[in-house]
Amino acid sequence: MDRGNLSDLTAFIAVADRLSFRAAASQLGVTPSALSHSMRQLEERLGVRLLNRTTRSVSVTDAGVRLLEQLRPAIDRIAGALEDLNETRQRPMGRLRIYALPLAAAAVIAPIWERFLSTYPDVHLELAVGEAPIDLVANGFDAGIAPRDRAPADMIAVRVMAPMKVAVVGAPAYFARRRPPRTPDDLAQHSCIQFRTVGDGAVLVWTFERNRQSRRVSVNGRVMVNDADLAVRAAVDGLGLAYTIEALAEPFLRSGQLVRVLEDWSPTFEGLFLYYPGHRQVPATLRALIDMIRTNRATPGKSLLKNPFTKV
């Protein structure tokens, strides 16, 4: 069925319901003469009279009544589908698929997902974690979270995490055996959790900043990981000092499972952005997630260094 037939059938229902071309035309936003012309065309295409009309009244023929009986359920389903679509546009609901770097998933989504799902009980959140850049649209994702330079040029990117401050942390049990470092040079006397970046396989060099001076330190240790969460876990287990970001270390610092050192040497790295296809209408569910993430984050500060945890 072409669009013209559907439009004419909708107009027929309006006339049949009101038994008035003038009232139906007012509802549809057309003139009575244009509506009358549409009904004549519909009757000619169908080869049957649907309406009896005089200058004073309108009535539905037997054929018109039979057609109405079959049309109403279909029109009601269409109206219901449009209402559901409008509800989806206004109220967060349905499935939301996010692709994020492991660091982004842990630092951006994990802190708010319980509150997000409690606030929006009709939302189903799917979070996929990976290091490799992917085509979000081709893979069916609504949005991605990564540093800004990972967002394709044709997508909209919004900041969802302020620049991230580094935290060097260790467990109280570890410091019971070793004196805490006071300068980056002291790390030579410590066991450090080494970090191998996934993209190029390079071992992370620990970078420090103070009084506009930077230091780069190649640390040693018996444990090496390629996941930021594992580095923190290793530190919690007393295996050495971990070089991570505040967002990942914060829960363990609050609980006392970790202790922070070299805070006055801690640099700041570029924050994270959520990016999505540049459509004019942002789905309500994605908009709700963005708003909740942004209200959970501090105001962006000055970024000093490129994030070393997200090389590809």
Side-chain angles (χ1 to χ4, degrees):
M1 176 184 294
D2 63 33
R3 185 176 301 175
N5 282 336
L6 182 59
S7 176
D8 288 345
L9 290 173
T10 302
F12 165 62
I13 293 175
V15 174
D17 284 345
R18 287 158 181 75
L19 297 179
S20 165
F21 276 89
R22 185 174 299 278
S26 177
Q27 177 202 351
L28 298 172
V30 299
T31 64
S33 60
L35 182 57
S36 178
H37 178 68
S38 295
M39 290 302 94
R40 284 196 299 271
Q41 286 187 320
L42 177 62
E43 289 174 332
E44 289 176 2
R45 288 198 300 272
L46 296 178
V48 62
R49 178 178 289 275
L50 301 174
L51 299 166
N52 291 318
R53 56 263 210 192
T54 68
T55 56
R56 293 182 301 276
S57 63
V58 177
S59 64
V60 183
T61 67
D62 288 343
V65 170
R66 291 194 298 273
L67 179 60
L68 277 174
E69 290 174 348
Q70 298 180 64
L71 280 180
R72 287 195 187 281
I75 294 299
D76 287 344
R77 285 196 296 272
I78 293 172
L82 293 175
E83 181 61 29
D84 288 345
L85 183 62
N86 184 56
E87 186 176 359
T88 299
R89 180 178 61 84
Q90 296 179 346
R91 179 168 64 90
M93 61 189 303
R95 186 171 301 279
L96 180 64
R97 302 187 72 227
I98 304 294
Y99 178 77
L101 293 174
L103 177 67
V108 176
I109 298 297
I112 59 94
W113 59 4
E114 189 279 331
R115 181 159 59 97
F116 179 71
L117 293 174
S118 296
T119 304
Y120 305 108
D122 295 323
V123 173
H124 294 262
L125 176 65
E126 180 178 343
L127 178 61
V129 173
E131 292 281 354
I134 66 168
D135 185 327
L136 290 185
V137 175
N139 286 275
F141 287 99
D142 297 292
I145 306 177
R148 190 182 190 113
D149 58 8
R150 292 281 297 267
D154 61 347
M155 291 197 175
I156 295 173
V158 295
R159 182 183 287 279
V160 290
M161 188 175 196
M164 303 175 291
K165 195 173 182 64
V166 160
V168 178
V169 293
Y174 175 85
F175 290 122
R177 304 188 304 269
R178 304 197 187 196
R179 180 179 299 177
R182 293 186 177 182
T183 71
D185 291 337
D186 293 341
L187 292 172
Q189 309 303 318
H190 285 267
S191 177
C192 298
I193 311 301
Q194 298 189 80
F195 186 91
R196 189 184 297 278
T197 57
V198 174
D200 56 14
V203 177
L204 179 69
V205 175
W206 293 16
T207 303
F208 296 94
E209 291 272 346
R210 192 174 74 167
N211 299 330
R212 298 185 180 180
Q213 294 183 344
S214 63
R215 295 290 306 280
R216 289 169 55 83
V217 179
S218 296
V219 298
N220 295 305
R222 297 173 60 197
V223 176
M224 182 178 294
V225 298
N226 67 349
D227 178 84
D229 283 322
L230 280 178
V232 173
R233 174 59 186 271
V236 170
D237 290 342
L239 303 182
L241 302 183
Y243 184 89
T244 184
I245 62 170
E246 285 180 332
L248 296 185
E250 183 181 7
F252 303 99
L253 293 170
R254 287 200 311 266
S255 68
Q257 292 172 277
L258 289 176
V259 176
R260 187 171 186 175
V261 295
L262 298 177
E263 186 168 359
D264 57 337
W265 283 92
S266 297
T268 300
F269 294 126
E270 175 65 281
L272 297 172
F273 289 75
L274 182 146
Y275 57 96
Y276 57 92
H279 301 314
R280 185 171 299 174
Q281 294 84 18
V282 180
T285 306
L286 179 58
R287 171 53 58 193
L289 179 70
I290 293 172
D291 290 343
M292 187 169 289
I293 291 172
R294 297 182 80 175
T295 58
N296 196 56
R297 292 298 169 198
T299 302
K302 182 180 180 181
S303 174
L304 301 178
L305 300 171
K306 184 176 181 181
N307 192 333
F309 296 101
T310 56
K311 293 179 180 178
V312 294

